[in-house]
Coordinates of all heavy atoms in Angstrom, one line a residue:
M416 N 103.4 72.3 39.1 CA 104.5 72.7 39.8 C 105.0 71.6 40.8 O 104.2 71.1 41.5 CB 104.2 74.0 40.5 CG 105.4 74.5 41.4 SD 105.0 76.0 42.4 CE 103.9 75.4 43.5
F417 N 106.3 71.3 40.7 CA 106.9 70.4 41.7 C 108.3 70.8 42.0 O 109.1 71.0 41.1 CB 106.8 69.0 41.0 CG 107.6 68.0 41.8 CD1 107.2 67.5 43.0 CD2 108.9 67.5 41.3 CE1 107.9 66.5 43.7 CE2 109.6 66.5 42.0 CZ 109.1 66.1 43.2
Y418 N 108.6 70.8 43.3 CA 110.0 71.0 43.7 C 110.1 70.6 45.2 O 109.1 70.4 45.9 CB 110.5 72.4 43.5 CG 109.8 73.5 44.3 CD1 110.4 74.0 45.5 CD2 108.6 74.1 43.9 CE1 109.7 75.0 46.2 CE2 108.0 75.1 44.6 CZ 108.6 75.5 45.8 OH 108.0 76.5 46.5
V419 N 111.3 70.3 45.6 CA 111.6 69.9 46.9 C 112.6 71.0 47.5 O 113.6 71.3 46.8 CB 112.3 68.5 47.0 CG1 112.6 68.2 48.4 CG2 111.3 67.5 46.4
E420 N 112.3 71.5 48.7 CA 113.2 72.5 49.3 C 113.3 72.2 50.8 O 112.2 72.1 51.4 CB 112.6 73.9 49.0 CG 113.5 75.0 49.5 CD 112.9 76.4 49.2 OE1 113.1 76.8 48.0 OE2 112.2 77.0 50.1
D421 N 114.5 72.0 51.3 CA 114.6 71.7 52.7 C 113.8 70.6 53.2 O 113.1 70.6 54.2 CB 114.3 73.0 53.6 CG 115.3 74.1 53.3 OD1 116.5 73.9 53.0 OD2 114.9 75.3 53.4
Q422 N 113.7 69.5 52.4 CA 113.0 68.3 52.7 C 111.5 68.5 52.7 O 110.7 67.7 53.2 CB 113.4 67.6 53.9 CG 114.9 67.1 53.9 CD 115.2 66.3 55.0 OE1 115.0 66.6 56.2 NE2 115.9 65.1 54.8
I423 N 111.0 69.6 52.1 CA 109.6 69.8 52.0 C 109.2 69.7 50.5 O 109.9 70.2 49.6 CB 109.2 71.3 52.4 CG1 109.5 71.4 53.9 CG2 107.7 71.5 52.2 CD1 109.3 72.8 54.4
I424 N 108.2 68.8 50.2 CA 107.8 68.6 48.9 C 106.6 69.5 48.5 O 105.6 69.6 49.2 CB 107.3 67.1 48.7 CG1 108.4 66.1 49.1 CG2 106.7 66.9 47.3 CD1 107.9 64.7 49.2
Y425 N 106.8 70.3 47.4 CA 105.8 71.2 46.9 C 105.2 70.6 45.6 O 106.0 70.3 44.7 CB 106.3 72.6 46.7 CG 106.8 73.3 47.9 CD1 108.1 73.1 48.4 CD2 106.0 74.1 48.6 CE1 108.6 73.7 49.5 CE2 106.4 74.7 49.8 CZ 107.7 74.5 50.2 OH 108.2 75.1 51.4
L426 N 103.9 70.4 45.6 CA 103.3 69.8 44.4 C 101.9 70.3 44.2 O 101.1 70.4 45.1 CB 103.2 68.2 44.6 CG 102.6 67.4 43.5 CD1 103.4 67.5 42.2 CD2 102.4 66.0 43.9
T427 N 101.6 70.7 43.0 CA 100.3 71.2 42.6 C 99.4 70.0 42.5 O 99.7 69.0 41.9 CB 100.3 72.0 41.3 OG1 101.2 73.1 41.5 CG2 98.9 72.5 41.0
R428 N 98.2 70.1 43.2 CA 97.2 69.0 43.1 C 97.0 68.6 41.7 O 96.7 69.4 40.8 CB 96.0 69.5 43.8 CG 94.9 68.5 43.9 CD 93.7 69.0 44.6 NE 93.2 70.2 44.1 CZ 92.2 70.9 44.6 NH1 91.6 70.6 45.7 NH2 91.9 72.1 44.0
G429 N 97.0 67.3 41.4 CA 96.7 66.7 40.1 C 97.9 66.7 39.2 O 97.7 66.2 38.0
D430 N 99.0 67.2 39.6 CA 100.2 67.2 38.7 C 100.9 65.8 38.8 O 100.8 65.1 39.7 CB 101.2 68.3 39.0 CG 100.8 69.6 38.4 OD1 99.7 69.7 37.8 OD2 101.5 70.6 38.6
T431 N 101.7 65.6 37.7 CA 102.6 64.4 37.7 C 104.0 64.9 38.2 O 104.4 66.0 37.9 CB 102.7 63.9 36.2 OG1 101.4 63.5 35.8 CG2 103.7 62.7 36.2
A432 N 104.6 64.0 38.9 CA 106.0 64.3 39.4 C 106.8 63.0 39.6 O 106.2 62.0 39.8 CB 105.9 65.1 40.7
T433 N 108.1 63.1 39.6 CA 109.0 62.0 39.9 C 109.9 62.5 41.0 O 110.6 63.5 40.9 CB 109.8 61.6 38.7 OG1 108.9 61.2 37.7 CG2 110.7 60.4 39.0
L434 N 109.8 61.8 42.1 CA 110.6 62.1 43.3 C 111.8 61.2 43.3 O 111.7 59.9 43.5 CB 109.8 61.9 44.6 CG 110.5 62.2 45.9 CD1 110.9 63.6 46.0 CD2 109.6 61.8 47.1
A435 N 113.0 61.7 43.1 CA 114.2 60.9 43.1 C 114.8 61.0 44.6 O 114.9 62.1 45.1 CB 115.3 61.5 42.1
V436 N 115.1 59.8 45.1 CA 115.6 59.7 46.5 C 117.0 59.3 46.5 O 117.4 58.3 45.9 CB 114.7 58.7 47.3 CG1 115.2 58.7 48.7 CG2 113.3 59.2 47.3
T437 N 117.9 60.1 47.1 CA 119.3 59.8 47.3 C 119.5 59.2 48.6 O 119.1 59.8 49.6 CB 120.2 61.0 47.1 OG1 119.9 61.6 45.8 CG2 121.7 60.7 47.2
L438 N 120.1 58.0 48.7 CA 120.2 57.3 49.9 C 121.7 57.1 50.3 O 122.5 57.0 49.5 CB 119.6 55.9 49.8 CG 118.1 55.8 49.4 CD1 117.7 54.4 49.1 CD2 117.2 56.4 50.4
A439 N 121.9 57.1 51.6 CA 123.3 56.9 52.1 C 123.2 56.0 53.4 O 122.2 56.0 54.1 CB 123.9 58.3 52.5
T440 N 124.3 55.3 53.6 CA 124.4 54.4 54.8 C 124.7 55.3 56.0 O 124.9 56.5 55.8 CB 125.5 53.4 54.6 OG1 126.8 54.1 54.6 CG2 125.3 52.6 53.3
E441 N 124.7 54.7 57.2 CA 125.0 55.5 58.4 C 126.4 56.0 58.3 O 126.7 57.0 59.0 CB 124.8 54.6 59.6 CG 123.4 54.2 59.9 CD 123.2 53.3 61.0 OE1 124.2 52.7 61.5 OE2 122.0 53.1 61.4
N442 N 127.3 55.4 57.5 CA 128.7 55.9 57.4 C 128.8 57.0 56.3 O 129.9 57.5 56.1 CB 129.6 54.7 56.9 CG 129.6 53.6 58.0 OD1 129.3 53.8 59.1 ND2 129.9 52.4 57.5
G443 N 127.7 57.3 55.7 CA 127.7 58.4 54.7 C 128.0 57.9 53.3 O 128.1 58.7 52.4
E444 N 128.2 56.6 53.1 CA 128.4 56.1 51.8 C 127.1 56.0 51.0 O 126.1 55.7 51.6 CB 129.0 54.7 51.9 CG 130.4 54.6 52.6 CD 130.8 53.2 52.9 OE1 130.3 52.3 52.4 OE2 131.8 53.1 53.7
E445 N 127.2 56.2 49.7 CA 126.0 56.1 48.9 C 125.4 54.7 48.9 O 126.2 53.7 48.8 CB 126.3 56.6 47.5 CG 125.1 56.6 46.6 CD 125.4 57.1 45.2 OE1 126.5 57.7 44.9 OE2 124.6 56.8 44.3
Y446 N 124.1 54.6 49.0 CA 123.4 53.3 49.0 C 122.7 53.2 47.7 O 121.9 54.1 47.4 CB 122.5 53.2 50.2 CG 121.8 51.8 50.2 CD1 122.4 50.7 50.7 CD2 120.5 51.7 49.6 CE1 121.7 49.5 50.6 CE2 119.8 50.5 49.6 CZ 120.4 49.4 50.1 OH 119.8 48.2 50.1
T447 N 122.9 52.2 46.9 CA 122.2 52.0 45.7 C 121.1 50.9 46.0 O 121.4 49.9 46.5 CB 123.2 51.5 44.6 OG1 124.2 52.4 44.4 CG2 122.4 51.2 43.3
V448 N 119.9 51.2 45.6 CA 118.8 50.3 45.8 C 119.0 49.0 45.0 O 119.4 49.1 43.8 CB 117.5 51.0 45.3 CG1 116.3 50.0 45.3 CG2 117.2 52.2 46.2
G449 N 118.9 47.9 45.7 CA 119.0 46.6 45.1 C 117.8 46.2 44.3 O 116.7 46.8 44.5
A450 N 117.9 45.2 43.5 CA 116.8 44.8 42.6 C 115.5 44.4 43.4 O 114.4 44.5 42.9 CB 117.2 43.6 41.7
D451 N 115.7 43.9 44.6 CA 114.5 43.4 45.4 C 114.2 44.4 46.6 O 113.4 44.1 47.4 CB 114.8 42.0 46.0 CG 114.9 41.0 44.8 OD1 114.1 41.1 43.9 OD2 115.7 40.1 44.9
D452 N 114.9 45.5 46.7 CA 114.6 46.5 47.7 C 113.3 47.3 47.3 O 113.1 47.5 46.1 CB 115.7 47.6 47.8 CG 117.0 47.0 48.4 OD1 116.9 45.8 48.9 OD2 118.0 47.7 48.4
V453 N 112.5 47.6 48.3 CA 111.2 48.3 48.0 C 111.3 49.7 48.7 O 111.5 49.8 49.9 CB 110.0 47.5 48.6 CG1 108.7 48.3 48.3 CG2 109.9 46.2 47.9
L454 N 111.1 50.7 47.9 CA 111.0 52.1 48.4 C 109.6 52.6 48.4 O 108.9 52.4 47.4 CB 111.8 53.0 47.5 CG 112.0 54.5 47.8 CD1 112.7 54.7 49.2 CD2 112.7 55.2 46.7
T455 N 109.1 53.1 49.6 CA 107.7 53.5 49.7 C 107.6 54.9 50.2 O 108.2 55.3 51.1 CB 107.0 52.5 50.7 OG1 107.1 51.2 50.3 CG2 105.5 52.9 50.9
L456 N 106.8 55.7 49.5 CA 106.4 57.0 49.9 C 105.0 57.0 50.4 O 104.1 56.5 49.7 CB 106.5 58.0 48.7 CG 106.0 59.4 48.9 CD1 106.9 60.2 49.9 CD2 105.9 60.2 47.6
T457 N 104.8 57.6 51.6 CA 103.5 57.7 52.2 C 103.2 59.1 52.5 O 104.0 59.8 53.1 CB 103.4 56.8 53.5 OG1 103.7 55.5 53.2 CG2 102.0 56.9 54.1
V458 N 102.0 59.6 52.1 CA 101.6 61.0 52.4 C 100.4 60.9 53.2 O 99.4 60.2 52.9 CB 101.3 61.8 51.1 CG1 100.8 63.1 51.4 CG2 102.6 61.8 50.2
R459 N 100.4 61.5 54.4 CA 99.3 61.5 55.3 C 98.8 62.9 55.6 O 99.5 63.9 55.4 CB 99.7 60.9 56.7 CG 100.2 59.5 56.6 CD 100.7 59.0 58.0 NE 101.2 57.7 57.9 CZ 100.5 56.6 58.0 NH1 99.2 56.7 58.1 NH2 101.1 55.4 57.9
K460 N 97.6 63.0 56.2 CA 97.0 64.3 56.5 C 97.9 64.9 57.6 O 98.1 66.1 57.7 CB 95.6 64.1 57.0 CG 94.9 65.4 57.2 CD 94.6 66.2 56.0 CE 93.8 67.5 56.3 NZ 93.9 68.5 55.3
E461 N 98.3 64.1 58.6 CA 99.1 64.6 59.7 C 100.2 63.6 60.0 O 100.2 62.5 59.6 CB 98.2 64.7 61.0 CG 97.1 65.6 60.9 CD 96.2 65.6 62.1 OE1 96.7 65.4 63.2 OE2 95.0 65.7 62.0
P462 N 101.3 64.1 60.7 CA 102.5 63.2 60.9 C 102.3 62.2 62.0 O 103.1 62.1 63.0 CB 103.6 64.2 61.2 CG 102.9 65.4 61.8 CD 101.5 65.4 61.1
K463 N 101.2 61.5 62.0 CA 100.9 60.4 63.0 C 100.6 59.1 62.3 O 99.9 59.2 61.2 CB 99.7 60.8 63.9 CG 99.8 62.1 64.6 CD 98.5 62.4 65.3 CE 98.4 63.9 65.7 NZ 97.1 64.2 66.1
A464 N 101.0 58.0 62.9 CA 100.7 56.7 62.2 C 99.3 56.5 62.0 O 98.9 55.8 61.0 CB 101.4 55.6 63.1
E465 N 98.4 56.9 62.8 CA 97.0 56.7 62.7 C 96.3 57.7 61.8 O 95.1 57.6 61.5 CB 96.3 56.6 64.0 CG 96.3 57.9 64.8 CD 97.6 58.2 65.6 OE1 98.5 57.4 65.6 OE2 97.6 59.2 66.3
S466 N 97.0 58.7 61.3 CA 96.4 59.7 60.4 C 96.0 59.1 59.1 O 96.5 58.2 58.6 CB 97.4 60.8 60.2 OG 96.9 61.8 59.4
T467 N 95.0 59.7 58.5 CA 94.5 59.3 57.2 C 95.6 59.3 56.1 O 96.3 60.3 56.0 CB 93.3 60.3 56.7 OG1 92.3 60.3 57.7 CG2 92.8 59.8 55.4
V468 N 95.7 58.2 55.4 CA 96.7 58.2 54.3 C 96.0 58.8 53.1 O 95.0 58.4 52.6 CB 97.1 56.7 54.0 CG1 97.9 56.6 52.8 CG2 97.8 56.1 55.2
I469 N 96.7 59.8 52.5 CA 96.2 60.4 51.3 C 96.6 59.6 50.1 O 95.8 59.3 49.2 CB 96.8 61.9 51.2 CG1 96.5 62.7 52.4 CG2 96.4 62.5 49.9 CD1 95.0 62.8 52.7
F470 N 97.9 59.1 50.0 CA 98.3 58.1 49.1 C 99.6 57.5 49.5 O 100.3 58.0 50.3 CB 98.4 58.7 47.6 CG 99.6 59.6 47.4 CD1 100.8 59.0 46.9 CD2 99.5 60.9 47.5 CE1 101.9 59.8 46.6 CE2 100.6 61.7 47.3 CZ 101.8 61.1 46.8
R471 N 99.8 56.3 49.0 CA 101.0 55.5 49.2 C 101.4 54.9 47.9 O 100.6 54.4 47.2 CB 100.7 54.4 50.2 CG 102.0 53.6 50.5 CD 101.7 52.5 51.6 NE 101.6 53.2 52.9 CZ 100.7 53.0 53.8 NH1 99.6 52.2 53.6 NH2 100.7 53.7 55.0
R472 N 102.7 55.1 47.6 CA 103.2 54.5 46.3 C 104.5 53.8 46.6 O 105.4 54.4 47.3 CB 103.4 55.7 45.4 CG 103.9 55.2 44.1 CD 103.3 55.7 42.8 NE 101.9 56.2 42.7 CZ 101.0 55.5 42.0 NH1 101.3 54.3 41.6 NH2 99.8 56.0 41.9
S473 N 104.7 52.6 46.1 CA 105.9 51.8 46.3 C 106.5 51.4 45.0 O 105.7 51.2 44.0 CB 105.6 50.5 47.1 OG 105.2 50.8 48.4
V474 N 107.8 51.3 44.9 CA 108.5 50.9 43.8 C 109.6 49.8 44.2 O 110.1 49.9 45.3 CB 109.2 52.0 43.0 CG1 108.2 52.9 42.4 CG2 110.2 52.8 43.8
T475 N 109.8 48.9 43.3 CA 110.8 47.9 43.6 C 112.0 48.1 42.7 O 111.9 48.2 41.5 CB 110.2 46.5 43.4 OG1 109.1 46.3 44.3 CG2 111.3 45.4 43.8
G476 N 113.2 48.1 43.4 CA 114.5 48.2 42.6 C 114.8 49.5 42.0 O 115.6 49.6 41.1
K477 N 114.1 50.6 42.4 CA 114.3 51.9 41.9 C 114.5 52.9 43.0 O 114.1 52.7 44.1 CB 113.0 52.4 41.1 CG 112.8 51.5 39.8 CD 111.5 51.9 39.1 CE 111.4 53.4 38.8 NZ 110.2 53.7 38.1
Q478 N 115.1 54.1 42.7 CA 115.3 55.2 43.6 C 114.4 56.4 43.2 O 114.6 57.5 43.7 CB 116.8 55.6 43.7 CG 117.5 54.6 44.5 CD 119.0 54.9 44.7 OE1 119.9 54.1 44.5 NE2 119.3 56.1 45.1
E479 N 113.5 56.1 42.4 CA 112.5 57.2 41.9 C 111.1 56.7 42.1 O 110.8 55.6 41.8 CB 112.8 57.5 40.5 CG 114.1 58.1 40.2 CD 114.3 58.5 38.7 OE1 113.5 57.9 37.9 OE2 115.2 59.3 38.4
I480 N 110.3 57.6 42.6 CA 108.9 57.3 42.8 C 108.0 58.2 42.0 O 108.2 59.5 42.1 CB 108.5 57.4 44.3 CG1 109.2 56.4 45.2 CG2 107.0 57.2 44.5 CD1 109.0 56.5 46.6
D481 N 107.2 57.7 41.1 CA 106.3 58.5 40.3 C 105.1 58.8 41.1 O 104.4 58.0 41.6 CB 106.0 57.8 39.0 CG 107.2 57.6 38.1 OD1 108.1 58.5 38.1 OD2 107.2 56.5 37.4
I482 N 104.7 60.1 41.1 CA 103.5 60.6 41.7 C 102.6 60.9 40.5 O 102.9 61.7 39.7 CB 103.7 61.8 42.6 CG1 104.7 61.5 43.7 CG2 102.4 62.3 43.2 CD1 105.1 62.7 44.5
L483 N 101.4 60.2 40.5 CA 100.5 60.3 39.4 C 99.4 61.3 39.7 O 99.1 61.5 40.9 CB 99.9 58.9 39.1 CG 101.0 57.8 38.8 CD1 100.3 56.5 38.6 CD2 101.8 58.2 37.6
P484 N 98.8 61.9 38.7 CA 97.7 62.8 38.9 C 96.6 62.3 39.8 O 96.1 63.0 40.7 CB 97.1 63.1 37.5 CG 98.3 62.9 36.6 CD 99.1 61.7 37.2
E485 N 96.2 61.0 39.7 CA 95.2 60.5 40.5 C 95.6 60.3 42.0 O 94.7 60.2 42.8 CB 94.7 59.1 40.0 CG 95.8 58.1 39.8 CD 96.4 58.0 38.4 OE1 96.3 59.0 37.7 OE2 96.9 57.0 38.1
D486 N 96.9 60.4 42.3 CA 97.3 60.3 43.7 C 96.9 61.6 44.5 O 96.6 61.5 45.7 CB 98.8 60.2 43.8 CG 99.4 58.9 43.3 OD1 98.6 57.9 43.4 OD2 100.5 58.8 42.8
T487 N 96.8 62.7 43.8 CA 96.5 64.0 44.5 C 95.3 64.7 44.0 O 94.9 65.7 44.5 CB 97.7 64.9 44.4 OG1 98.0 65.2 43.0 CG2 99.0 64.3 45.0
R488 N 94.7 64.2 42.9 CA 93.6 65.0 42.2 C 92.5 65.3 43.2 O 92.0 66.4 43.1 CB 93.1 64.1 41.1 CG 91.9 64.8 40.3 CD 91.5 64.0 39.1 NE 92.6 64.1 38.1 CZ 93.1 63.0 37.5 NH1 92.6 61.8 37.7 NH2 94.0 63.2 36.6
D489 N 92.1 64.4 44.1 CA 91.0 64.7 45.0 C 91.4 65.2 46.4 O 90.6 65.3 47.3 CB 90.2 63.4 45.2 CG 89.5 63.0 43.8 OD1 89.2 63.9 43.0 OD2 89.4 61.8 43.6
A490 N 92.7 65.4 46.6 CA 93.2 65.9 47.9 C 92.8 67.3 48.1 O 92.7 68.2 47.2 CB 94.7 65.8 48.0
E491 N 92.4 67.6 49.4 CA 92.1 69.0 49.7 C 93.4 69.8 49.6 O 94.5 69.3 49.9 CB 91.6 69.1 51.2 CG 90.3 68.4 51.4 CD 89.9 68.4 52.8 OE1 90.4 69.2 53.6 OE2 89.0 67.7 53.2
I492 N 93.3 71.1 49.3 CA 94.4 72.0 49.3 C 94.9 72.2 50.7 O 94.1 72.4 51.6 CB 94.1 73.3 48.7 CG1 93.7 73.1 47.2 CG2 95.2 74.3 48.8 CD1 93.2 74.4 46.5
G493 N 96.2 72.0 50.9 CA 96.8 72.1 52.3 C 98.1 71.5 52.4 O 98.8 71.2 51.4
Q494 N 98.6 71.4 53.6 CA 99.9 70.8 53.9 C 99.7 69.4 54.5 O 98.8 69.2 55.2 CB 100.6 71.7 55.0 CG 101.0 73.1 54.4 CD 101.7 73.9 55.5 OE1 101.8 73.5 56.6 NE2 102.3 75.0 55.0
Y495 N 100.6 68.6 54.1 CA 100.5 67.2 54.4 C 101.9 66.7 55.0 O 102.9 67.4 54.8 CB 100.1 66.3 53.2 CG 98.7 66.6 52.8 CD1 98.5 67.6 51.8 CD2 97.6 66.0 53.3 CE1 97.2 67.9 51.3 CE2 96.3 66.3 52.9 CZ 96.2 67.2 51.9 OH 94.9 67.6 51.5
S496 N 101.9 65.6 55.6 CA 103.1 65.0 56.1 C 103.5 63.8 55.2 O 102.7 63.1 54.7 CB 102.9 64.5 57.5 OG 104.0 63.8 58.0
S497 N 104.8 63.7 54.9 CA 105.2 62.6 54.1 C 106.5 61.9 54.7 O 107.2 62.5 55.5 CB 105.6 63.0 52.7 OG 106.7 63.9 52.7
D498 N 106.6 60.6 54.4 CA 107.8 59.9 54.8 C 108.1 58.9 53.7 O 107.2 58.5 52.9 CB 107.7 59.3 56.1 CG 106.7 58.1 56.2 OD1 107.0 57.1 55.7 OD2 105.7 58.3 56.8
A499 N 109.4 58.5 53.6 CA 109.8 57.4 52.7 C 110.5 56.4 53.5 O 111.3 56.8 54.4 CB 110.6 58.0 51.6
Q500 N 110.3 55.2 53.2 CA 111.1 54.1 53.8 C 111.5 53.1 52.8 O 110.9 53.0 51.7 CB 110.3 53.4 54.9 CG 109.2 52.5 54.4 CD 108.6 51.7 55.6 OE1 108.4 52.2 56.7 NE2 108.2 50.5 55.3
I501 N 112.7 52.5 53.1 CA 113.2 51.4 52.2 C 113.1 50.1 53.0 O 113.5 50.1 54.2 CB 114.6 51.7 51.7 CG1 115.0 50.7 50.6 CG2 115.6 51.9 52.8 CD1 116.0 51.1 49.7
T502 N 112.6 49.1 52.4 CA 112.7 47.8 52.9 C 113.6 47.0 52.1 O 113.4 46.8 50.8 CB 111.3 47.1 52.9 OG1 110.3 47.9 53.6 CG2 111.3 45.7 53.5
T503 N 114.7 46.5 52.7 CA 115.8 45.8 51.9 C 115.3 44.4 51.6 O 114.4 43.9 52.2 CB 117.1 45.8 52.6 OG1 117.0 45.0 53.8 CG2 117.6 47.2 53.0
A504 N 116.0 43.8 50.7 CA 115.7 42.4 50.3 C 115.9 41.5 51.5 O 115.3 40.4 51.5 CB 116.7 42.0 49.2
T505 N 116.7 41.9 52.5 CA 116.9 41.0 53.7 C 115.9 41.3 54.8 O 115.9 40.7 55.8 CB 118.3 41.2 54.3 OG1 118.5 42.6 54.6 CG2 119.4 40.8 53.3
G506 N 114.9 42.3 54.5 CA 113.9 42.5 55.5 C 114.1 43.7 56.4 O 113.3 44.0 57.2
D507 N 115.3 44.3 56.3 CA 115.6 45.5 57.1 C 114.7 46.7 56.6 O 114.5 46.8 55.4 CB 117.0 45.9 57.1 CG 117.9 44.9 57.7 OD1 117.5 44.3 58.8 OD2 119.0 44.6 57.2
I508 N 114.2 47.5 57.6 CA 113.4 48.6 57.2 C 114.1 49.9 57.8 O 114.4 50.0 59.0 CB 112.0 48.5 57.8 CG1 111.3 47.3 57.2 CG2 111.2 49.8 57.5 CD1 110.0 46.9 57.9
F509 N 114.2 50.9 56.9 CA 114.8 52.2 57.3 C 113.9 53.3 56.8 O 113.5 53.3 55.6 CB 116.2 52.3 56.7 CG 117.2 51.3 57.1 CD1 117.4 50.2 56.2 CD2 117.8 51.3 58.3 CE1 118.3 49.2 56.6 CE2 118.7 50.4 58.6 CZ 118.9 49.3 57.8
T510 N 113.6 54.3 57.7 CA 112.9 55.5 57.3 C 114.0 56.4 56.8 O 114.9 56.7 57.5 CB 112.1 56.1 58.4 OG1 111.1 55.1 58.9 CG2 111.4 57.3 58.0
V511 N 113.8 56.9 55.6 CA 114.9 57.8 55.0 C 114.6 59.3 55.0 O 115.4 60.1 54.9 CB 115.2 57.3 53.5 CG1 115.8 55.9 53.6 CG2 114.0 57.3 52.6
F512 N 113.3 59.6 55.2 CA 112.9 61.0 55.5 C 111.5 61.0 56.0 O 110.7 60.0 55.8 CB 113.1 62.0 54.4 CG 112.2 61.8 53.2 CD1 110.9 62.3 53.2 CD2 112.6 61.2 52.1 CE1 110.0 62.2 52.1 CE2 111.8 61.1 50.9 CZ 110.5 61.6 51.0

């Protein structure tokens, strides 16, 4: 089972999922990921920088992140904190959720 509701990701442990991220500029214009832009999803036990990272997955030049069974297979059942950031080819970093 996989779905996103109100920016909350629901995923059954050990399942495969693809998270598609829609990006917009500060002006509200759609942002298309460039060939050298890197999109990173990080899932942590708690929403703190020093919290244990459950998994981190990065893709280059794509707006979709594949979550693989091994990313969550050994995770304890519970709620986790996640964020996604994009690092542009020019080195700018933006947290998108």
